[in-house]
Every structure is written in C-alpha cells, then in structure tokens.
Amino acid sequence: MAQEEGGSLPEVRARVRAAHGIPDLAQNLHFYDRWAPDYEQDVATLQYHAPRLAVDCLTQALPGPPHSALILDVACGTGLVAAELRAPGFLQLHGVDGSPGMLEQARAPSLYQRLSLCTLGQEPLPSPEGTFNAVLIVGALSDSQVPCNAIPELRVTKPGGLVCLTTRTNSSNLQYKEALEATLDRMEQAGTWEGLVAWPVDRWELATSELEVVSGISAKDGFISGIVYLYRKRKATQVEEVRSSPQPPAGP
C-alpha cells in the first residue's frame, strides 16, 4: 500500500475500515506506522469523540488536584488523549504504544513526560504494579489491537486508582465488546476492580459503512455508538473483604 495521506471523508472511511479489518497485530502496527502523520486529521474528519468523553468521565471521578495525578495513556497513538488531559490541568502524563510511527508523532507536542514502545498483549507494561493514579485505554480495544487477556496488565494502577476504557459498540465490534465485558466482570467478581460507570454513547464517530449504522439511517450522516467504562482498583483490604464474603449459591 502507498503511504497514507489525509483525504476526503470517503477516503478516510476506507482507511479506517482497512485498519479495523487487519487481523494480524504486526501488520496492524505497520499500518498505523504509515498512517501516523495523517491520523489526527483523519479521526477529526470522522468526528471521533472518544478521547474527550473518556477524559470527561475520568476527570469527574478522580480525587485530588489534576496536577498531582500520575496518568498512563495506553495505546496513546499521536497523543489525542494527552491533549484532552492537559486542558483540565493533568501534567504528569506517561504514554505507551506499539507503533513507533505513532510515538514519533506523540513526541512533537511535548505533552508526555515519558513515552515508551510497548505492544500490550505481547509484553508487560514497563512500570511496576501500583504506579499510576489512573490508566486509560482509548480507541484500541478491538480485534487485532489490545487483546482482552491484556487487561490484567492494568495492575500498574495504584490501589484506589481509576481505570478508564472505551470501545466501539457497532456491529463489527460486538463480539470483542462481549469478551471485554466478560473479562471486566471476572476482575470485578475477583474483587480486584470495582465498576463505577458504564456510559453508552450514541454519537461516537461517523460510521465507515452502511452496515455499521442502524436501519433507516444513512452512513453519510449516521454515527456509530460506543461506551466508556470506569473502574476503581480496590485496595488490598477491600479485595480480602470481597473474597471472604459469602458467595451466592450456584444455579441448578
């Protein structure tokens, strides 16, 4: 494929469909390397709202002044989430991504204190357990990007800290969404996380095909939906309380 360039809405839709359709992680990361220079222009064309929505959700729940919170942006891409975090005063931002091209773009605005190359699902996050006040994964929770079995890596969150996750809820991503929610439910049942918010959003981004929108709405004007999840990592005493509490009897 030739070098990706910013283009018209039909061209952007075709490029995003291509990104969503690459089943192999290595090929997907290579695609993002080439897409990186025009990524922000393209997602702006699609009216992509997830970074702002995730940061709004996190900001309302995170205690203490923003400037004192250490934040990890997983699959940070070019830094869209960091730009949103800066507005309310978050200054201590670390980012990780599996695409060197995306990280190169993220370095230019100097939004992050630290950026690291890390392919979540193939290697652990480069931080000790209990490091961050909050961790976000925005826009990368889908097939061929961040696998559901990598979610426990978010133990790098401090006890009492927050985890904010987003994913699409259009038809092509529903199977992944179900697997993600099963993973989140298991972590909640184990007592390690506490669910705080599951916020469905209708206008997530412009659909890239007619198949993604509900019947009767043209993809020319229609948006796909998405969801923002917010969890709190339980403290050790809370985990023990959950694990020692009586469990409901199993069904027949």
Side-chain angles (χ1 to χ4, degrees):
M1 180 189 295
Q3 173 75 26
E4 279 78 13
E5 298 177 354
S8 65
L9 180 55
E11 291 170 332
V12 171
R13 282 174 162 157
R15 193 146 46 241
V16 174
R17 283 199 303 271
H20 291 169
I22 300 173
D24 179 76
L25 177 58
Q27 293 179 8
N28 189 278
L29 291 173
H30 183 55
F31 184 97
Y32 274 84
D33 281 339
R34 293 183 293 164
W35 191 12
D38 298 303
Y39 177 79
E40 292 193 9
Q41 176 184 330
D42 283 359
V43 297
T45 298
L46 285 183
Q47 301 180 48
Y48 176 57
H49 298 312
R52 175 181 56 80
L53 296 169
V55 171
D56 286 349
C57 185
L58 178 70
T59 301
Q60 294 178 35
L62 194 64
H67 67 267
S68 66
L70 183 59
I71 310 293
L72 178 64
D73 182 8
V74 177
C76 64
T78 60
L80 292 174
V81 170
E84 295 289 346
L85 285 165
R86 284 284 189 160
F90 292 99
L91 303 176
Q92 300 185 66
L93 308 179
H94 292 194
V96 299
D97 200 277
S99 163
M102 287 286 183
L103 289 175
E104 182 180 352
Q105 296 296 316
R107 286 190 181 93
S110 301
L111 295 172
Y112 297 94
Q113 290 184 315
R114 179 181 299 173
L115 286 166
S116 304
L117 184 66
C118 175
T119 304
L120 198 60
Q122 295 188 350
E123 53 191 325
L125 286 169
S127 300
E129 182 170 350
T131 299
F132 297 95
N133 298 99
V135 177
L136 302 97
I137 306 183
V138 178
L141 291 172
S142 62
D143 288 327
S144 80
Q145 292 187 296
V146 176
C148 294
N149 60 15
I151 296 299
E153 272 299 307
L154 303 187
R155 57 179 171 266
V156 296
T157 312
K158 290 181 178 181
L162 298 177
V163 173
C164 186
L165 311 171
T166 75
T167 196
R168 293 176 286 112
T169 57
N170 58 312
S171 57
S172 65
N173 201 50
L174 285 181
Q175 186 174 359
Y176 181 94
K177 174 181 175 285
E178 291 174 1
L180 173 64
E181 290 183 343
T183 301
L184 299 174
D185 287 345
R186 285 193 295 271
M187 297 185 72
E188 190 165 13
Q189 291 168 12
T192 52
W193 289 12
E194 174 189 6
L196 302 177
V197 173
W199 175 22
V201 177
D202 291 333
R203 296 172 65 86
W204 194 255
E205 66 181 359
L206 284 172
T208 60
S209 77
E210 294 282 353
L211 298 176
E212 291 186 330
V213 294
V214 298
S215 176
I217 300 178
S218 169
K220 180 179 179 181
D221 302 311
F223 282 75
I224 64 168
S225 57
I227 189 166
V228 180
Y229 303 99
L230 188 68
Y231 283 79
R232 178 179 289 117
K233 183 179 178 182
R234 293 184 184 270
K235 299 178 181 179
T237 54
Q238 294 175 311
V239 174
E240 290 304 315
E241 288 173 1
V242 171
R243 290 176 177 172
S244 61
S245 62
Q247 299 299 312

